[in-house]
Amino acid sequence: MFVYTKQYGLGAEEEDIFVRCVSVLGNLADQLYYPCEHIAWASDAKILHVDSARWWTLSTAFWGLSLILGIARSLWIVLKLRQRLRSPPAAFTSQRPRGKRRTVEAQIRSEALALLSNLADLANAVHWLPPGILWAGRFPPWLVGLLGTVSSLLSVYQAVQTSGQADAAC
């Protein structure tokens, strides 16, 4: 994760300032999540003598923040891509306008899947927060498992799709 964040930097390659800011903040939340989660784990394993509950709460809050930022990013990208599809055909003028249109439609599908995955994870993240925060602790075990399974399956599907597109491009 650190290598990815370092490569991404301040998102200079992103054209959209909103996507750039949300992505950088998401990377920051991800970077803060990991040490908090490791400290909480080390406390539970009796390696560190600190209150693990606070560290678990903090790590879950960073996870939730990262997911909220990812949701905002995906919604924004879908909105912009749909606007591009609805724009006059001049936006797709080239030798292969259908190919460009298909590419944009594939990007929309990919962002929609990322959005659904992040929403499932966010529901679980809130569940793991301390009681009294939204629906924290109220999900039955089967729902926690279902949300995690849905998120994982969507992520695997996206990885397979991305791999298939990379293979087709070669």
Side-chain angles (χ1 to χ4, degrees):
M1 188 67 218
F2 178 73
V3 172
Y4 169 77
T5 300
K6 186 177 174 188
Q7 287 174 340
Y8 188 82
L10 296 176
E13 293 181 14
E14 292 287 351
E15 293 177 20
D16 189 296
I17 189 71
F18 181 79
V19 171
R20 182 183 309 164
C21 291
V22 168
S23 296
V24 168
L25 290 173
N27 288 342
L28 179 62
D30 289 339
Q31 291 302 320
L32 293 172
Y33 161 81
Y34 289 108
C36 294
E37 191 261 349
H38 283 70
I39 291 170
W41 175 85
S43 176
D44 286 348
K46 306 292 187 234
I47 296 170
L48 295 176
H49 301 289
V50 296
D51 179 19
S52 70
R54 288 183 180 187
W55 288 101
W56 283 120
T57 299
L58 190 58
S59 69
T60 304
F62 282 129
W63 179 34
L65 176 61
S66 174
L67 293 167
I68 289 168
L69 292 167
I71 289 166
R73 180 185 181 279
S74 290
L75 284 172
W76 183 260
I77 290 173
V78 167
L79 176 71
K80 291 298 183 181
L81 290 172
R82 288 184 61 153
Q83 286 175 349
R84 189 183 310 170
L85 281 179
R86 290 185 181 142
S87 67
F92 295 102
T93 56
S94 76
Q95 295 174 341
R96 300 188 308 168
R98 281 189 184 162
K100 282 188 175 185
R101 185 173 188 83
R102 284 188 197 139
T103 300
V104 171
E105 290 169 346
Q107 288 173 322
I108 291 173
R109 281 191 299 276
S110 177
E111 287 300 329
L113 292 174
L115 176 66
L116 291 173
S117 179
N118 283 342
L119 286 169
D121 283 339
L122 181 62
N124 263 343
V126 171
H127 169 77
W128 292 110
L129 287 170
I133 300 174
L134 299 173
W135 56 85
R138 295 185 185 163
F139 286 170
W142 67 265
L143 184 55
V144 173
L146 177 65
L147 290 169
T149 301
V150 166
S151 174
S152 295
L153 289 175
L154 288 170
S155 296
V156 168
Y157 178 77
Q158 278 188 285
V160 169
Q161 288 295 104
T162 301
S163 174
Q165 289 171 358
D167 291 344
C170 292

